[in-house]
Amino acid sequence: MIGQRPRDEAAAFQALSPLIDGRAGLVNIVTRIPRMTGRHRFPIYTASMGNPASLLPGRVDAPLPLAWAGMDGAGTGLADDLARLTATVEAVERYSSCVWDNEQLIWDTGRNLGREALDLETVPTCSAEELAHPACPLVAPDPGAPMRWVRGVNLMNGRPSWVPAVMVYLHIPFVSRAERFWLPISTGTAAHFDYDEALLSAALECVERDSLTLTWLQRLPLPRIELDVTTPELDRARAMAERAGLRTWHFDATTDLGIPTVYSVDVDPQSTRVHTYVMCATDLDPRRAVAKVMRESSSGRLSMQYQKPHDKPLDEFGAVFDGAVHMALAERRHAFDFLLGSPGRRTLSSMAPDVPDSARERLAWVLGRLAERGCTAYAVDVSSDEARSVGLRVVRVLVPELMPLSFLHRARYLGTPRLYAAPERMGHGRRTESDINPWPQPFA
């Protein structure tokens, strides 16, 4: 724990108040989004940062554009305090993941660093067909090519380890061809007043993104969840969600890792533009995972209202909302039939594993599950000075063997062994690249 952990959401938000100032604060203002439609039932907040691009290193040559409000945090919850806190923490988290100092980095090859570095042979890769496509911007990982590395720790053995900088920081420019093996993304970044909680949240997000990617790319007919157990939190979330007038299906997306994951599909029968929307959450308590997808689906649907319809060719899909906007149209609902028509059923109570109580023990349990499947895990502390000043710790966790989320349709890492091995272990049969879902990723 860093300092004294705040006792509740209101105290935690108060601890962050030195960072919030409309004139000179890291966060300009934290505001509640007005309810725009009856579909918007959960309180949703944004933490505005404006456009700090000019303050960040390397922005001119970064591969991803950073526009005004591009780093704003968003948060939702059952009550205002949690939504407001979540939005503010997310803004600080995003900012921290974009800040680095060149003095932190070394220039070397993976082969030369050897066991002191993340093994590039384990990272996801595009298939030969993808790499040959003119719209694919990536190259295969090359252990013999020089690139930048940052110091982290191997969570499996506690030893210091070098990690590719492009896998750690957002909006970092490529400075060599070798660094183009990876698309910078926020997966595995988390912030908390407690180190163990931050590491646990970050690791669970890696598992979540692996599951939603496997589900969509392999069109896994997941069993539908029967909500046979509940909590007061889940009861409130269900009541709020039901008033939104949506029809929602929840599916057990737990993979061969055995870490509870919930995938949801909700349909708005009154909308043709934002008709179908998906969400995913991983939590050691599957009841919390269900409540989380309900909350975050509400926030996501609100964001979708601001997205303009487009007719881009698939070769140009790369922005976060490109696939979600494309797939949300009512005319494409049939693309979700592999889920909506799945005959399987699973009770929510049967998804709950026997896990310890403390965050440190839970983290060890998750790392143990990953190790059983031959995975490694690395962590880098990316806390900015601003985050540290209020007691927050921001971490990036990498599990290179898992499937990453990609919004770039021509770079979906289809050459990654896990994409084919995991479904087969889960009883879905042997699959090849020709079986991959042709529709773009609907998650945003």
Side-chain angles (χ1 to χ4, degrees):
M1 182 182 293
I2 308 301
Q4 185 169 353
R5 181 173 175 174
R7 64 184 181 277
D8 55 28
E9 288 91 353
F13 184 75
Q14 183 61 34
L16 300 177
S17 61
L19 302 182
I20 307 171
D21 188 299
R23 296 163 297 177
L26 179 65
V27 176
N28 298 332
I29 189 171
V30 182
T31 55
R32 178 168 175 159
I33 301 298
R35 182 177 295 177
M36 301 183 65
T37 71
R39 302 294 186 254
H40 173 187
R41 290 292 178 176
F42 294 88
I44 300 171
Y45 278 73
T46 61
S48 173
M49 297 185 69
N51 187 359
S54 61
L55 304 177
L56 301 177
R59 276 301 312 136
V60 174
D61 302 315
L64 298 176
L66 181 55
W68 186 272
M71 290 178 62
D72 288 358
T76 184
L78 296 177
D80 287 72
D81 282 350
L82 178 58
R84 182 179 59 174
L85 174 63
T86 302
T88 309
V89 170
E90 184 174 272
V92 178
E93 174 189 307
R94 289 183 176 181
Y95 169 78
S96 296
S97 68
C98 297
V99 178
W100 70 90
D101 189 322
N102 285 328
E103 292 186 1
Q104 297 174 266
L105 312 180
I106 64 168
W107 183 263
D108 211 330
T109 69
R111 184 170 296 136
N112 188 51
L113 292 171
R115 293 184 178 180
E116 295 183 10
L118 181 151
D119 184 358
L120 289 177
E121 298 287 354
T122 66
V123 304
T125 182
C126 291
S127 67
E129 183 176 338
E130 284 184 296
L131 293 172
H133 197 286
C136 178
L138 300 186
V139 299
D142 184 355
M147 64 180 69
R148 292 166 300 173
W149 301 76
V150 64
R151 199 67 153 171
V153 62
N154 184 324
L155 291 175
M156 298 304 188
N157 55 31
R159 296 175 183 169
S161 187
W162 294 102
V163 180
V166 294
M167 297 184 75
V168 174
Y169 298 104
L170 281 178
H171 303 293
I172 186 170
F174 298 134
V175 297
S176 72
R177 184 176 186 276
E179 290 186 336
R180 295 181 178 273
F181 73 91
W182 187 257
L183 293 169
I185 193 167
S186 64
T187 298
T189 309
H192 203 280
F193 291 95
D194 181 280
Y195 246 140
D196 293 321
E197 291 281 8
L199 290 167
L200 176 60
S201 294
L204 291 178
E205 186 173 69
C206 293
V207 174
E208 170 197 306
R209 301 300 168 83
D210 170 77
S211 175
L212 74 86
T213 300
L214 289 172
T215 295
W216 186 253
L217 291 182
Q218 294 288 17
R219 289 181 280 196
L220 301 181
L222 305 176
R224 192 181 306 175
I225 297 173
E226 297 176 347
L227 302 180
D228 63 324
V229 290
T230 190
T231 63
E233 176 193 11
L234 180 53
D235 284 339
R236 289 181 62 194
R238 291 178 69 181
M240 296 173 79
E242 287 170 1
R243 290 199 298 271
L246 304 173
R247 187 177 181 189
T248 303
W249 293 261
H250 298 102
F251 301 91
D252 180 8
T254 306
T255 67
D256 56 330
L257 299 175
I259 302 174
T261 302
V262 174
Y263 191 103
S264 70
V265 179
D266 60 53
V267 171
D268 183 349
Q270 298 181 19
S271 175
T272 58
R273 190 168 69 85
V274 189
H275 182 78
T276 311
Y277 191 68
V278 305
M279 189 52 62
C280 190
T282 297
D283 196 292
L284 297 184
D285 184 341
R287 298 171 299 181
R288 284 202 300 263
V290 173
K292 183 179 180 181
V293 294
M294 290 178 179
R295 297 193 310 268
E296 296 196 347
S297 182
S298 178
S299 176
R301 275 190 169 273
L302 180 63
S303 297
M304 289 284 286
Q305 300 293 333
Y306 293 95
Q307 306 302 317
K308 295 180 180 179
H310 62 77
D311 57 358
K312 293 181 182 180
L314 287 176
D315 288 3
E316 296 180 12
F317 277 42
V320 171
F321 283 96
D322 281 348
V325 170
H326 185 79
M327 298 305 299
L329 298 177
E331 64 194 63
R332 299 195 173 99
R333 177 174 166 175
H334 63 88
F336 300 86
D337 285 349
F338 70 94
L339 285 166
L340 301 182
S342 172
R345 297 292 184 272
R346 183 151 302 152
T347 59
L348 185 61
S349 60
S350 69
M351 293 174 57
D354 184 15
V355 295
D357 293 329
S358 74
R360 180 163 297 183
E361 292 173 319
R362 285 172 175 247
L363 175 62
W365 185 88
V366 169
L367 294 175
R369 299 297 299 180
L370 291 170
E372 287 176 14
R373 287 299 176 195
C375 297
T376 53
Y378 301 84
V380 179
D381 185 335
V382 296
S383 307
S384 61
D385 292 341
E386 293 86 349
R388 289 174 182 270
S389 72
V390 294
L392 271 183
R393 284 298 182 264
V394 186
V395 300
R396 165 58 71 90
V397 168
L398 300 167
V399 185
E401 293 83 1
L402 298 185
M403 280 298 299
L405 172 66
S406 174
F407 300 110
L408 197 67
H409 191 70
R410 296 305 180 192
R412 296 185 289 173
Y413 303 98
L414 302 185
T416 306
R418 177 167 172 78
L419 179 58
Y420 309 97
E424 188 170 6
R425 283 196 294 264
M426 294 160 62
H428 295 290
R430 186 177 180 85
R431 296 164 184 239
T432 66
E433 187 173 348
S434 62
D435 299 314
I436 294 296
N437 195 340
W439 293 104
Q441 175 60 249
F443 173 84

